[in-house]
Amino acid sequence: MSVWDRQSAPAATIAFIKAIETFRAAPYDDGYGYWTIGYGSRRDAQGREVTRATPPVTVAEAEAMLARDLAQAIEWVRQAIRVPLADHQAGALVSLAYNLGSLNAKAESLVALVNAEDWRQAAERFQVYRMSAGKPSLGLRRRRWAEAAIFLGADPVEAQRLAWDGRIRTVDDWPPLPEGAEPVLSEADRLNELQLASLRRGESRRG
């Protein structure tokens, strides 16, 4: 199990987000009144809000916007989570933050469970975040289940397949999450990560 470096999104997370969002060259209404483009970006390459009149983008431009938005999502996770994370835990949280547009501000109870290292309850808490524009979304329910499974160590490709294989048919469905995959960092990993976090805080104060 790899320990998250707190600097980058795991490759599996990027692939998962791209597979969920899918590439769209032209702006489109996501079904909830939000104009998006590329891989689910709500801001264009210049940082302006996407509208119906936003020019189409290339795959390369969409990749650049994805990298920009992922950097922000990573920062939200770094700010919110104080405990060491495994790569797959961080990946699930980065995907959630990317989709919600925040973490602390929109998933405070989940953040508290992660910081308490209550992994199973944290995974179950993903199911709460299924609303878009005030309405529950079946797509978000499926995405949250997949993210929760990934958080517990499931393969991202398999988690996505299971979430969309018909077992989640309504916005209230929440099948049992994988068992026995709860991540446990070794004591050496934990000490190393806590020491690094302390050093980063010291550098931040000096800066």
Side-chain angles (χ1 to χ4, degrees):
M1 180 187 66
S2 299
V3 180
W4 184 43
D5 63 8
R6 300 183 68 87
Q7 304 293 325
S8 57
T13 300
I14 299 172
F16 173 78
I17 291 173
K18 291 172 74 173
I20 292 288
E21 299 288 354
T22 69
F23 170 71
R24 305 283 189 92
Y28 65 97
D29 186 325
D30 69 353
Y32 296 91
Y34 299 108
W35 285 94
T36 24
I37 200 167
Y39 293 105
S41 294
R42 292 187 187 173
R43 292 180 296 134
D44 67 13
Q46 287 70 46
R48 298 173 301 214
E49 184 178 353
V50 176
T51 69
R52 185 194 301 269
T54 298
V57 297
T58 65
V59 171
E61 289 170 331
E63 296 268 5
M65 290 188 292
L66 173 63
R68 175 201 64 197
D69 296 343
L70 276 174
Q72 178 61 77
I74 291 165
E75 184 57 29
W76 284 326
V77 175
R78 290 178 59 189
Q79 291 172 358
I81 306 303
R82 301 187 302 272
V83 297
L85 296 173
D87 267 348
H88 55 83
Q89 291 176 301
L93 293 171
V94 168
S95 176
L96 178 66
Y98 181 90
N99 186 233
L100 292 182
S102 182
L103 194 60
N104 252 335
K106 296 188 178 180
E108 186 177 6
S109 58
L110 171 59
V111 167
L113 288 167
V114 174
N115 281 328
E117 299 182 68
D118 190 342
W119 310 130
R120 176 60 54 168
Q121 288 305 311
E124 295 290 348
R125 191 67 183 173
F126 274 79
Q127 66 184 284
V128 173
Y129 312 107
R130 59 175 183 169
M131 306 293 285
S132 184
K135 297 184 292 185
S137 162
L138 178 58
L140 288 183
R141 188 64 155 188
R142 289 169 172 164
R143 178 171 180 160
R144 294 293 92 90
W145 189 92
E147 289 167 344
I150 292 167
F151 183 83
L152 291 177
D155 174 74
V157 174
E158 179 67 4
Q160 183 185 354
R161 185 189 70 78
L162 292 173
W164 267 267
D165 73 351
R167 68 188 61 199
I168 302 176
R169 298 177 182 274
T170 77
V171 294
D172 295 316
D173 289 340
W174 188 259
L177 290 165
E179 294 289 342
E182 298 179 29
V184 179
L185 292 177
S186 71
E187 191 59 27
D189 284 336
R190 182 178 304 281
L191 289 173
N192 286 339
E193 286 298 300
L194 290 174
Q195 288 169 353
L196 283 171
S198 177
L199 286 171
R200 292 186 186 111
R201 286 195 296 271
E203 290 170 358
S204 176
R205 284 194 295 270
R206 288 195 296 274

